[in-house]
Amino acid sequence: MSPLDDFLLRAVLAGTGVALVAGPLGCFVVWRRMAYFGDATAHAALIGVTLALATELPVVAGVALAALAMALTVSLATGRTYAMDTMLGVAAHGALAAGLVALSLLPGVRVDLMGYLFGDILAVSRSDLLVIWAGGALILALLVWRWRGLLLATLSADLAAAAGIAAARERLVLTVALALLVAVALKVVGALLITAMLIVPAAAARAFAPTPEAMAVVAAGIGAVASAGGLAASFRLDSPAGPSIVVAAVVLLLLANGIAAVARRGGGRGAGRG
């Protein structure tokens, strides 16, 4: 029997694959304060599921198309009529509601709504693993390729322009990466929890990382640990796997902040004695 026949091993590999991508990408979401943007993109996943089921497209393709369309629409519309937070709030909740209504209107189709909302990592198949790891590798390659441009555009549009980098192009790269992540992560943590896996590990890594590159690596590691820890807790407590992974990530965030606070106090006392 192949080791991949073990559903728990497949779940761990799936969670790790998503975490390794969500960590570095989440750093840009945190740096750019794009949490609501991530929500709007992730919530469009349900519209993508409806599109896929109605047209017999693969679900991953439908979700990627819907998430990308939502991200591009929000990017173009934000700030033209309403403030950014208002526009993103409307887009996030409107996309979620529209997706739920559209799914309910599909004739003759039974949908595991809880799985799409909160993930179903324990049901990940070998083909799902292939999609997650192949999609994750593509996103990481895109981030590595555009790292300098993304970082400069995040720090300052003027600084990026001075270096010959178009901030709008880098924003488009980030938008594409987010849409791809939503597509590959939907089965692991679901539409409602994808943004948490972007933000929480990156926020926890911020307490320890001296450089942007270090923060990306630490965030990926924290996400992987949270995935394994959440699955272990889910197995022991018989709790939902996706939410358990997010809770584990939040616990790691609290621990990281606590350790950082203790370290700062220790450093301050040492300096005072000196």
Side-chain angles (χ1 to χ4, degrees), residues 108-132:
V109 176
R110 297 187 67 180
V111 178
D112 177 15
L113 192 56
M114 293 298 288
Y116 287 123
L117 289 175
F118 298 104
D120 193 9
I121 191 172
L122 296 178
V124 166
S125 64
R126 291 188 181 195
S127 58
D128 292 329
L129 273 181
L130 179 61
V131 169
I132 289 168

Side-chain angles (χ1 to χ4, degrees), residues 12 222-236 241 244-245 247-249 252:
V12 170
I222 290 173
V225 171
S227 176
L231 281 170
S234 172
F235 186 74
R236 285 179 172 271
S244 297
I245 291 172
V247 169
L252 290 176

Side-chain angles (χ1 to χ4, degrees), residues 13-88:
L13 290 174
T16 302
V18 169
L20 293 179
V21 181
L25 187 56
C27 291
F28 286 102
V29 173
V30 169
W31 293 331
R32 286 173 171 257
R33 299 179 181 178
M34 291 173 60
Y36 253 144
F37 186 91
D39 266 340
T41 305
H43 289 179
L46 293 182
I47 299 175
V49 171
T50 306
L51 173 67
L53 293 176
T55 60
E56 298 185 357
L57 277 173
V59 171
V60 171
V63 171
L65 287 172
L68 183 58
M70 172 60 75
L72 291 175
T73 300
V74 169
S75 294
L76 292 173
T78 295
R80 298 197 174 188
T81 306
Y82 299 101
M84 180 180 291
D85 60 341
T86 302
M87 184 65 197
L88 290 175

Side-chain angles (χ1 to χ4, degrees), residues 246-273:
V246 174
V247 169
V250 172
V251 170
L252 290 176
L253 170 63
L254 295 175
L255 287 174
N257 285 333
I259 292 170
V262 170
R264 285 195 298 270
R265 288 179 184 176
R269 288 170 184 169
R273 285 195 296 269

